[in-house]
Amino acid sequence: MTDRSLVTCSVDFDQDGKQSGYLAVPQSTNSAGWAKYFIPIFIIRNGDGPTAVLSGGNHGDEYEGPVTLMNLFRELNTDDIRGRVIIIPMLNHPAVAGGTRLSPIDGMNMNRAFPGHSTGTITSMIAHFVATEVIPLADLVIDIHSGGSSMHMLPSVNMHRMDDADQMSRMLAAGRAWGAPYVFLYRDIAGSGLLPSFAEGLGKVTLGTEMGSKAQFGVDMLRHTSRVRNVLHHTGIIQKATTDPGTAEPVIVAADNEEDYVMSPASGIFEPFYELEDAIVCGQQIGQVHSLEHPDRPTEPVVAKSDGILFTRRSIPICRQGECLAVVTREVTG
Ligand SMILES: [Zn+2]
């Protein structure tokens, strides 16, 4: 057993200029006893300065990050920046290629795999390399997500609430700089091992996003996502201000309580009664679940347990008991 990563990297983190290469993850499969799985990685460096680590495709069915970050690498020139930008556009590459949230190779969720294991499965080995060799280099960590296949989301930059007031204020300033309509303060209701939690724990200025959903993927959401450049400018990495600053003063919302996350009371077909941004009050019926087995019976009501606006709603009509149907957020002061 060793803690040292078995993943090799074909780019040099300390070399000036633009480089495109691969992380090579050792594999042994039915079709090749000796193999490497290649994960693309880009670096742009121009002398000393802050380092940003940008990732997309942490969940494979969220394509806003991969498209935005591949465009960013093509469009940025070395002279445009000071410091360093490290981009992993398709962190869970097997899942991006397969169109699935989880890895089709080992069934793992990359965003529950951190800090990973040097001798784990492919997802765990990628997480371990990023946790030990990449994130420690960063001043700024940005992990681009959307609602993927299952959730429609209002376009937002997001983060946990930090105990460290200084770190929280630096994260909020970076979040505001994006120019997204919302900054969303969230809590974890479905496990640990998130990439952002790991980076936050190292004291890094860390931003996540929720940029729509797979069904909302298109011109509008990609425009919101491409404003990641504004954060790189805010951090002093991109030297020239962008021509697309976005929303000057985003609304800061929070879903701090377990009750803000509405889980399905039954399995069946979820019928929503409200759309994103609608005002919701505690006790209000926000939808209903129709039984597949007993369609003649009364529907199961879905009731909000807090006040606010509908920030997220399920995009797949079929649901299982216990799956998230909606998230209600409230405006807070930063
Ligand atoms: Zn995601």
Side-chain angles (χ1 to χ4, degrees), residues 175-181 223-224 227-231 241-250:
R176 282 191 172 101
W178 192 300
R223 188 173 297 129
H224 285 302
R227 293 186 183 125
V228 66
R229 288 167 174 77
N230 295 328
V231 188
T242 71
T243 53
D244 183 15
T247 308
E249 204 42 61

Side-chain angles (χ1 to χ4, degrees), residues 58-62 101 109 111 143-148 209-210:
N58 180 333
H59 291 132
D61 58 349
E62 302 170 7
R101 180 177 179 82
N109 182 340
N111 216 26
D143 189 32
I144 300 176
H145 289 251
S146 75
T209 69
E210 296 293 358

Side-chain angles (χ1 to χ4, degrees), residues 13 23 39-42 53-58 65-66 69 86-92 126 129-130 134 142-143:
F13 290 133
L23 308 178
I39 308 291
I41 183 168
F42 307 138
V53 170
L54 311 178
S55 54
N58 180 333
L69 295 178
I86 302 172
I87 298 172
I88 307 178
M90 293 171 277
L91 189 60
N92 196 340
I126 297 166
F129 181 86
V130 172
V134 183
I142 298 179
D143 189 32

Side-chain angles (χ1 to χ4, degrees), residues 20 71-72 132 144 180 193 207 242-243 265 276 281 284 306 316 333:
S20 169
N71 284 336
L72 181 69
T132 57
I144 300 176
L207 302 179
T242 71
T243 53
L276 299 184
V281 296
Q284 186 174 356
S306 53
I316 305 174
T333 52

Side-chain angles (χ1 to χ4, degrees), residues 110-129:
M110 180 68 77
N111 216 26
R112 300 293 181 276
F114 279 77
H117 297 285
S118 61
T119 55
T121 60
I122 183 168
T123 305
S124 188
M125 290 174 85
I126 297 166
H128 180 263
F129 181 86

